[in-house]
Amino acid sequence: MGGFFGVAGHGDALTDVFYGTDYHSHLGTHRAGIAGYDVKIGLQREIHDIENTPFRTRFETIFDEMKASSAIGCISDYDPQPLLIRSRYGTFAICFVGVINNKEELIQEYLAKPGAHFDAMTGGQVNSVELIAAMMAEEDSYIDGIRAIQRRIDGTASLLILKDDGTLLAARDFRGRIPLFVGENEDGRCVSFEPFPYRKLGYRTLRELGPGEAVEITSSRVTTVIEPQKDMKICAFLWTYYGYPNSCYEGKGVEQSRYRNGEILAENDRKNGGIPELDYVGGVPDSGLAYGQGYAFESGVAFGRPMLKYTPTWSRSFTPSRQSERNRVAHMKQLPITDYIDQKNLLIVDDSIVRGTQLRETVDFLYRNGAKSVHMRAACPPILFSCKYLNFSRSNDEMELLTRRVIMDLEGEEGFEHLDEYQDGTTERGRAMRDKIAEQFHFSSLEYQTLEGTIEAIGLPRCQLCTYCWNGEE
């Protein structure tokens, strides 16, 4: 995933961009960067690895190294960015959020031209941001370049550009899979993936960009340079996991959605056999807490916190590149509250089940600390497809997905012809998959949120949501 934040025309843009970018740290953990513009110095840039060091620590010296009245910052799970590019229509800094599915095709197409080349990374890989910049630079203007990106890229690309006069250009991806906001205060304008960082910094929302919309931003104005598209397919997983709890996209709050989702999970259990005999309902911290609270309220069972994360020194569990190290970090930061575990019947709600590695650690942790029984609920439908638009699942092979592996065990590749049945817990295949997973992980029961329940909890029309990871449909 990733996120970015930019400020135009502020007296000291670096301070706001430093804190605004830091507030996007939940969206990426690999690399981060800041680019700034000063009328005397011009464009400057810093990029650092943040896999094992928080953004604030890595960039705390930025105020001694840079000066800027306009600036952009980004958090990335993949390529180093922002990059500084010199083109025939100007020098600019650029960063992007998204994924390019036809990247190799576009690279070969560009390299076929006389004199074309890229700065290769390890293994001959090409920085996606450099590819985007090269494609843009072939056009006659920034605006034409953005249009070319929207037209030619198969995938998702939201762009943030800092020009060599301090002006910002921001473009939401063509289908609106991820959000993009513009804020304002008395000193300038800002642009942000998340809305809460700029509110915390004293900006108020000016507007939320539409799908494919691009704007030019200065200290005093925001001008639409590419009109928005009518159709939107915003990623539903923003509400499931990636969105920060106090965020709100398309008018729909994340925390409220998760609480309502938990209520719907309990309603579904009541309709399909009843609420299990429980002592406490809990949520896998931190994103699962609101789901657990909603379930507890609707079911009438007390909410308890059987576990918590020690976050002062341990980063998010998927930060390291190796799965074994991610598992170790997940284990080390998980702490028990035994009063809510020992000899207790528990129902735990997690935001999602992807590969199952952290799920196994969670249930083993609870049983090691004395749980009598553990019922598991997932707050979204079974993930049956690896995301090809935002790569949230970090799975390069669909067989890394727990559901796919279980389906293969149950009936081989033939099962992949019946994924719609496996998604539905009321079918024979759907029930078999859930029972098999529960058996493997020693759950007393396992249920997933339905697709309909997920959509109801978000509160947007189904036609405006991308649900690809669950049903293979945009």
Side-chain angles (χ1 to χ4, degrees), residues 167-323:
T167 302
L168 301 185
L169 285 170
R172 187 176 178 184
D173 67 281
F174 191 73
R175 300 306 300 276
R177 297 187 196 281
I178 51 181
L180 196 56
F181 295 84
V182 176
E184 64 176 354
N185 64 14
E186 291 69 26
D187 298 314
R189 304 288 184 273
C190 71
V191 60
S192 181
F193 180 114
E194 291 277 28
F196 75 87
Y198 62 78
R199 291 175 184 155
K200 189 70 174 177
L201 292 167
Y203 296 82
R204 54 192 172 273
T205 298
L206 181 62
R207 55 186 300 194
E208 186 171 1
L209 299 191
E213 184 177 4
V215 294
E216 184 178 72
I217 305 171
T218 69
S219 61
S220 59
R221 59 180 172 80
V222 177
T223 306
T224 296
V225 293
I226 298 178
E227 293 294 331
Q229 306 297 310
K230 292 182 179 179
D231 296 331
M232 178 180 67
K233 285 290 183 179
I234 190 169
C235 174
F237 212 73
L238 286 164
W239 286 271
T240 298
Y241 172 68
Y242 261 115
Y244 213 65
N246 64 340
S247 286
C248 181
Y249 314 115
E250 301 297 332
K252 305 300 179 182
V254 171
E255 185 78 350
Q256 296 93 322
S257 169
R258 292 175 182 172
Y259 190 92
R260 176 60 185 142
N261 187 305
E263 291 181 321
I264 296 171
L265 279 169
E267 292 170 1
N268 291 342
D269 275 357
R270 187 174 287 113
K271 294 175 186 174
N272 300 317
I275 304 295
E277 182 178 336
L278 303 169
D279 294 300
Y280 293 107
V281 171
V284 176
D286 290 321
S287 54
L289 296 179
Y291 296 117
Q293 290 168 341
Y295 191 104
F297 177 82
E298 177 62 29
S299 66
V301 179
F303 178 81
R305 293 184 63 189
M307 67 192 94
L308 68 155
K309 289 181 179 179
Y310 189 78
T311 56
T313 55
W314 289 104
S315 56
R316 295 187 317 181
S317 56
F318 62 77
T319 298
S321 57
R322 290 181 296 138
Q323 181 63 55

Side-chain angles (χ1 to χ4, degrees), residues 438-455:
E439 178 185 352
Q440 286 185 9
F441 289 84
H442 305 108
F443 297 139
S444 299
S445 68
L446 168 67
E447 297 294 345
Y448 289 86
Q449 180 61 277
T450 63
L451 184 59
E452 294 74 20
T454 302
I455 293 170

Side-chain angles (χ1 to χ4, degrees), residues 10-86:
H10 199 290
D12 174 21
L14 276 182
T15 298
D16 283 359
V17 168
F18 174 83
Y19 289 107
T21 306
D22 180 59
Y23 269 132
H24 286 78
S25 294
H26 60 290
L27 295 170
T29 57
H30 189 52
R31 289 205 173 90
I34 291 178
Y37 166 79
D38 178 74
V39 66
K40 294 181 180 180
I41 304 172
L43 289 170
Q44 314 129 69
R45 183 204 64 186
E46 288 284 343
I47 297 176
H48 293 295
D49 188 311
I50 58 169
E51 280 194 277
N52 297 302
T53 306
F55 174 88
R56 289 191 305 279
T57 302
R58 292 295 282 150
F59 285 87
E60 63 184 358
T61 62
I62 197 75
F63 303 103
D64 300 322
E65 300 165 356
M66 291 174 60
K67 181 180 180 182
S69 57
S70 293
I72 62 175
C74 67
I75 298 283
S76 174
D77 256 345
Y78 300 98
D79 300 310
Q81 50 177 313
L83 299 184
L84 293 186
I85 304 295
R86 183 171 178 175

